[in-house]
Amino acid sequence: QSALTQPASVSGSPGQSITISCTGPMIDFDDYNYVSWYRQHPGKAPKLMIYDVSSRPTGVSNRFSGSKSGNTASLTISGLQAEDEADYYCCSFTNTHYDFGTGTKVTVL
Amino acid sequence: EVQLLESGGGLVNPGGSLRLSCTASGFTFGTYAMSWVRQAPGKGLDWVSGITDSGHYTYHADSVKGRFTISRDNFKNTLYLQMNSLRAEDTAAYYCAKLNGPVAGYGMDVWGQGTTVTVSS
């Protein structure tokens, strides 16, 4: 059972913005920055979209942004596009292990 | 091109063993930590094991501790996962992933295509 809770599904129309939440006890610490986000299309390997709460890897669109407040981290996708339809996972690192969130299916209407 | 290529998956009986390999190319393998992540059919991502750049420190999920061992050969640019005492619940696609730093805690910025392990009699 994951220590990180995400909504099972989020949907939006093309061009809209959506936000995926990720709640976990370790995220609540002010200096805790070990949160990353991954996108996974069906049958494909995951792809890193955000690391260290809000940093974007080279090549990832600036439509993707990350933030943290209290015990909740968030991934916001602005200007929703058809290609954004996928599963999204948050991930945290604590002491000696990683935890992945329960996963959120994003549907573009 | 930065690339990870897993191999070694297959069908194994419960209680059996399997060794997965992950061959890296396109980057300086010995300067990055690595991890194994698995995904059971229709399920979410599940972190399995991690290892620092030098291989001196290893980390395992509680679910595999004592059964799985992660290791690496920086001369061969290869990551390994030795899996013993396999159970039906270990059935999954296994991905190797490169971390974007030398130790645990960093994001996983490069992933292989995965290799499938099926534990069944």
Side-chain angles (χ1 to χ4, degrees):
Chain A
Q1 189 170 350
S2 175
L4 300 176
T5 302
Q6 299 179 232
S9 62
V10 173
S11 62
S13 299
Q16 285 186 331
S17 293
I18 61 170
T19 296
I20 304 168
S21 61
C22 171
T23 302
M26 287 305 297
I27 296 174
D28 201 7
F29 293 96
D30 287 343
D31 60 351
Y32 181 83
N33 289 319
Y34 296 118
V35 178
S36 52
W37 289 90
Y38 301 85
R39 178 176 74 181
Q40 187 180 33
H41 288 116
K44 300 295 186 181
K47 176 183 177 180
L48 178 66
M49 306 304 288
I50 294 288
Y51 66 97
D52 292 354
V53 175
S54 60
S55 297
R56 250 187 334 270
T58 302
V60 171
S61 170
N62 59 8
R63 298 187 299 106
F64 292 84
S65 61
S67 62
K68 185 186 79 158
S69 178
N71 69 343
T72 299
S74 299
L75 173 71
T76 297
I77 308 174
S78 58
L80 202 61
Q81 299 178 2
E83 68 192 47
D84 299 329
E85 185 160 296
D87 294 323
Y88 290 79
Y89 297 90
C90 63
C91 181
S92 71
F93 176 77
T94 307
N95 291 329
T96 60
H97 71 276
Y98 286 89
D99 280 307
F100 282 96
T102 49
T104 298
K105 182 174 181 58
V106 168
T107 301
V108 181
L109 302 172
Chain B
E1 180 188 1
V2 176
Q3 198 169 7
L4 297 172
L5 188 62
E6 302 97 335
S7 60
L11 174 64
V12 61
N13 291 325
S17 297
L18 213 53
R19 188 175 85 156
L20 305 183
S21 299
C22 170
T23 302
S25 59
F27 65 98
T28 308
F29 180 72
T31 60
Y32 293 96
M34 301 290 294
S35 271
W36 287 98
V37 176
R38 67 184 178 183
Q39 186 170 35
K43 302 296 184 181
L45 300 175
D46 181 32
W47 177 79
V48 176
S49 301
I51 188 168
T52 56
D53 57 345
S54 63
H56 286 160
Y57 296 100
T58 62
Y59 312 91
H60 298 276
D62 289 343
S63 58
V64 306
K65 204 169 290 184
R67 300 189 300 123
F68 290 12
T69 302
I70 188 172
S71 62
R72 64 192 297 162
D73 185 333
N74 287 347
F75 294 104
K76 294 183 177 180
N77 289 348
T78 302
L79 176 74
Y80 302 101
L81 185 67
Q82 178 66 44
M83 304 185 295
N84 299 329
S85 303
L86 282 161
R87 307 166 179 167
E89 54 264 35
D90 296 318
T91 294
Y94 283 74
Y95 296 97
C96 71
K98 166 189 169 291
L99 275 61
N100 58 357
V103 297
Y106 289 86
M108 302 174 204
D109 63 349
V110 181
W111 294 67
Q113 87 292 345
T115 187
T116 300
V117 173
T118 303
V119 184
S120 174
S121 54

